[in-house]
Amino acid sequence: MTTAAELSTRVPLRFAPASATFAIAIAGYLAVNLSPYMISAAQDAVGLDVLAASWLVTGTLLLTALAGLAAAGLCAGARRHQVARIGLGIATLGFLAAALVPALTIPGLLIGGIGAGGAVASAGAAMASFRNPDRVAGWNGFANRGVITIVLAVLPILGLAPLNVFGALALFSAIGLVMTKWLPRAPILDPGASLGTAGAATGEAMPIEIPPTGTIRTQSAAPSRLLTISGFGLLIVFALWAVSEDSLWAMIGIIGAETSGLTPEGLGIALSGATAGGLLGSLALMAVGNRLGRAVPLVVLLVLGGILKIVQGTLTNETALIVAFVAWNSIYAVAFMYFLSTAAALDARGRWSGPLLSVYLVGSALTPLIGASLSELLGAQGFTLALGITSFVLAVPTGIIAAISTRTERSIPNTAEALV
């Protein structure tokens, strides 16, 4: 349960804690973005075929997700820094071993994946520590996509050798490890202390004043149950939504080739354009912040995304498909950020934003298999129609939970404002 005291301790988005949070999030998620390169590097390192290398990368991502889910509860409390340091240390050693010693490629990647789970959980929980979760989610999306765009462009130039690909994972894990000292801490209640926000921004212990008795009484058991149900509901909805989104991402090359003659060159343009669209969406969310609330934007985004999913299964022109794909993925990127801000707003300790990113990874690791099965069973148009309907159905509970998160955040004034 998030108390008034905890909600009042959200801190401004200052450079040091924000940079640490975003850098650790990038380190935890980098393997997801580099998965095609990792498959190629794994084949080169130990002579695996495509299927075996794909299963190795899938196993790495699943271990990241499971480790993140296991550590999420600790990251909502006093052990957030410890989880981040241990996780990033393990990730650095594991990925470095995979990069340098071919015989250790398989165990190194699996161990590195487990360590990355600590980074995902700690960074996700830390995002709840800042004020205006919508703007924070926008900045995180912008930083993540900006860095990933550069890495994806540079690595092929350097070559997809194990040293470069797995070495990049180790390097970003090491950078995140160095920056953990600036990661904001979860709120800690101390009845005998006064309210302070400087410690939260620097990673030091932060005393918090318990509000007047009248304020505490407003936190009844009913709202507590409502927030808990909303949090669990958000994780379930987000998992289902992530599977529907990533299934289309994984299968667009096959679907596009079947319906509109999408070429490998066209697919490259579509993927690059989708990344650029996500950057623009991040900028828009950073500018808007929480002025529009979350419920209406999320419902609109999910409905528009569902429509664009369905449209992509009906297009027979390559250019039109590329445009629709870029538009859909741009909407997806903004919706992802709103999901993250919704989770962060539900609990200032990061109880829900911590596991949210790991929940996404579970779906991301499995969607190539799920997408291939559904597209084979339903055909191109049936596949995209099913994904579109999924978005429409999920828009309803998503909107309700987003409205609850906005009301929760706005119902308690931020008493730390005067200390900025």
Side-chain angles (χ1 to χ4, degrees):
M1 168 180 164
T2 300
T3 66
E6 289 168 345
L7 284 174
S8 72
T9 60
R10 295 186 191 269
V11 298
L13 191 66
R14 291 174 176 151
F15 181 78
S19 298
T21 302
F22 300 156
I24 293 171
I26 291 170
Y29 253 52
L30 189 59
V32 180
N33 296 282
L34 296 188
S35 56
Y37 296 168
M38 291 174 66
I39 292 173
S40 176
Q43 289 179 272
D44 185 22
V46 288
L48 298 176
D49 59 26
V50 175
L51 181 59
S54 298
W55 274 109
L56 174 59
V57 174
T58 295
T60 300
L61 298 181
L62 277 176
L63 286 174
T64 298
L66 295 175
L69 289 173
L74 296 175
C75 294
R79 298 187 181 275
R80 180 181 298 169
H81 283 65
Q82 186 177 354
V83 170
R85 291 184 181 118
I86 293 174
L88 287 164
I90 292 174
T92 301
L93 294 176
F95 291 136
L96 189 60
L100 297 176
V101 185
L104 297 179
T105 295
I106 294 176
L109 288 180
L110 296 177
I111 292 172
I114 294 173
V120 170
S122 58
M127 288 181 198
S129 300
F130 300 102
R131 297 175 198 161
N132 199 329
D134 304 279
R135 188 161 286 142
V136 173
W139 272 108
N140 176 67
F142 182 78
N144 186 289
R145 286 189 172 244
V147 171
I148 294 305
T149 298
I150 296 172
V151 174
L152 289 174
V154 170
L155 276 181
I157 297 174
L158 298 176
L160 300 182
L163 179 61
N164 295 333
V165 177
F166 304 146
L169 294 170
L171 175 61
F172 276 88
S173 297
I175 292 172
L177 180 60
V178 171
M179 299 183 73
T180 53
K181 61 182 178 180
W182 294 301
L183 193 69
R185 292 187 182 276
I188 300 172
L189 289 176
D190 182 359
S194 60
L195 180 66
T197 59
T202 60
E204 298 172 358
M206 179 175 55
I208 299 168
E209 182 181 15
I210 291 191
T213 304
T215 304
I216 290 294
R217 283 180 186 148
T218 64
Q219 302 295 325
S220 64
S224 173
R225 285 195 298 270
L226 177 62
L227 292 180
T228 299
I229 293 171
S230 298
F232 279 115
L234 182 65
L235 295 181
I236 295 171
V237 168
F238 186 66
L240 295 174
W241 176 80
V243 168
S244 75
E245 299 295 308
D246 275 11
S247 292
L248 181 56
W249 176 273
M251 297 305 298
I252 188 60
I254 297 173
I255 295 295
E258 176 184 335
T259 60
S260 60
L262 183 66
T263 63
E265 293 78 14
L267 178 60
I269 294 172
L271 296 178
S272 300
T275 302
L279 285 172
L280 294 176
S282 301
L283 290 172
L285 186 56
M286 287 155 51
V288 172
N290 59 4
R291 286 176 236 175
L292 301 177
R294 298 185 189 98
V296 173
L298 259 176
V299 169
V300 170
L301 289 168
L302 263 62
V303 170
L304 288 178
I307 292 172
L308 285 170
K309 287 179 189 175
I310 296 172
V311 166
Q312 288 177 70
T314 64
L315 295 174
T316 57
N317 178 272
E318 182 183 35
T319 302
L321 177 65
I322 292 173
V323 171
F325 179 81
V326 171
W328 160 74
N329 197 257
S330 300
I331 288 173
Y332 149 80
V334 180
F336 184 101
M337 297 173 215
Y338 268 115
F339 270 110
L340 180 56
S341 67
T342 297
L346 280 174
D347 191 287
R349 298 163 299 180
R351 183 184 177 193
W352 306 112
S353 59
L356 189 81
L357 297 180
S358 298
V359 163
Y360 175 84
L361 281 179
V362 174
S364 182
L366 297 176
T367 45
L369 301 175
I370 296 173
S373 300
L374 287 177
S375 62
E376 183 178 352
L377 177 66
L378 302 175
Q381 292 189 2
F383 173 63
T384 55
L385 178 61
L387 297 183
I389 292 174
T390 300
S391 290
F392 300 153
V393 172
L394 294 178
V396 177
T398 298
I400 295 173
I401 296 170
I404 292 172
S405 82
T406 300
R407 187 174 71 236
T408 299
E409 183 188 16
R410 292 177 176 174
S411 64
I412 301 175
N414 195 334
T415 56
E417 292 287 350
L419 300 176
V420 178

